[in-house]
Amino acid sequence: MKILFLNGPNLNLLGTRQPEVYGRTTLADIEAMVRERAGRLGDVEIEFRQTNQEGELVTWIQQARGVVDAIVLNAAAYTHTSVALRDAITSAEVPTVEIHLSNIHAREEFRHRSLIAAVCRGQISGFGAQSYLLGLEAAVSINGAR
Ligand code: DQA
């Protein structure tokens, strides 16, 4: 099974970016955690990417069609603004799990609305770096392997 992790803008700064909100774990640490857990799950191949560009996320989601079994997506700020990402998720027809480190519903009002939530299979929000491992579990279970 192939699972694509996609990370949006500013997540390359994890570790130093508002640690009181996002913790001190870097994105590289999170990737290592995900790969370690995936290794223990068995037949799970991980692709892990980050970009600060909306269009790049759109392209990667388009390219995932028919190629990956699930997408785990932290769209970061684009969660709250991007119709293009929503349309890409709909078009790709790849089951997608929306994840966030912070609890977006407990933060500023503008973060409460996710434009992608309705086209994702579900949302995991507020568990820090663990949100990525929960996203992995969700992606695997969607595919019925466990
Ligand atoms: C985030 C929450 C978003 O509101 C924010 O813009 C981010 C990170 C999170 O993981 O908590 O950049 O997606």
Side-chain angles (χ1 to χ4, degrees), residues 16 33 37-38 50 52 101 108 122 137:
T16 53
M33 284 167 54
R37 178 68 60 89
Q50 188 274 332
N52 290 328
L101 296 141
E108 302 97 321
E137 293 279 347

Side-chain angles (χ1 to χ4, degrees), residues 3 11 19 40 52 75-76 87 109 121 139:
I3 301 176
L11 293 173
R40 285 197 274 135
N52 290 328
D87 288 350
E109 186 100 30
R121 290 290 289 269

Side-chain angles (χ1 to χ4, degrees), residues 90-103:
T90 303
S91 307
E93 295 182 344
V94 176
T96 299
V97 181
E98 175 183 357
I99 65 164
H100 302 282
L101 296 141
S102 62
N103 179 353

Side-chain angles (χ1 to χ4, degrees), residues 8-145:
N10 300 304
L11 293 173
N12 54 314
L13 301 178
L14 286 180
T16 53
R17 173 194 182 199
Q18 293 180 275
E20 68 287 359
V21 176
Y22 298 115
R24 295 205 177 273
T25 313
T26 67
L27 196 61
D29 294 335
I30 291 174
E31 178 176 355
M33 284 167 54
V34 167
R35 288 190 183 284
E36 194 268 336
R37 178 68 60 89
R40 285 197 274 135
L41 290 175
D43 180 30
V44 181
E45 187 188 332
I46 302 295
E47 176 92 30
F48 199 98
R49 300 184 196 158
Q50 188 274 332
T51 179
N52 290 328
Q53 290 167 38
E54 183 178 11
E56 195 156 32
L57 283 173
V58 168
T59 299
W60 287 344
I61 292 167
Q62 288 180 3
Q63 290 170 346
R65 185 186 172 99
V67 176
V68 310
D69 299 295
I71 297 171
V72 179
L73 174 62
N74 187 349
Y78 293 138
T79 304
H80 316 296
T81 63
S82 181
V83 176
L85 268 188
R86 181 192 176 111
D87 288 350
I89 295 165
T90 303
S91 307
E93 295 182 344
V94 176
T96 299
V97 181
E98 175 183 357
I99 65 164
H100 302 282
L101 296 141
S102 62
N103 179 353
I104 58 173
H105 303 288
R107 299 184 62 196
E108 302 97 321
E109 186 100 30
F110 67 85
R111 294 185 205 275
H112 297 182
R113 188 181 64 154
S114 165
L115 292 188
I116 63 172
V119 296
C120 289
R121 290 290 289 269
Q123 183 189 74
I124 295 164
S125 181
F127 300 97
Q130 290 290 324
S131 290
Y132 283 77
L133 298 181
L134 295 168
L136 171 63
E137 293 279 347
V140 170
S141 97
I142 285 168
N143 282 282

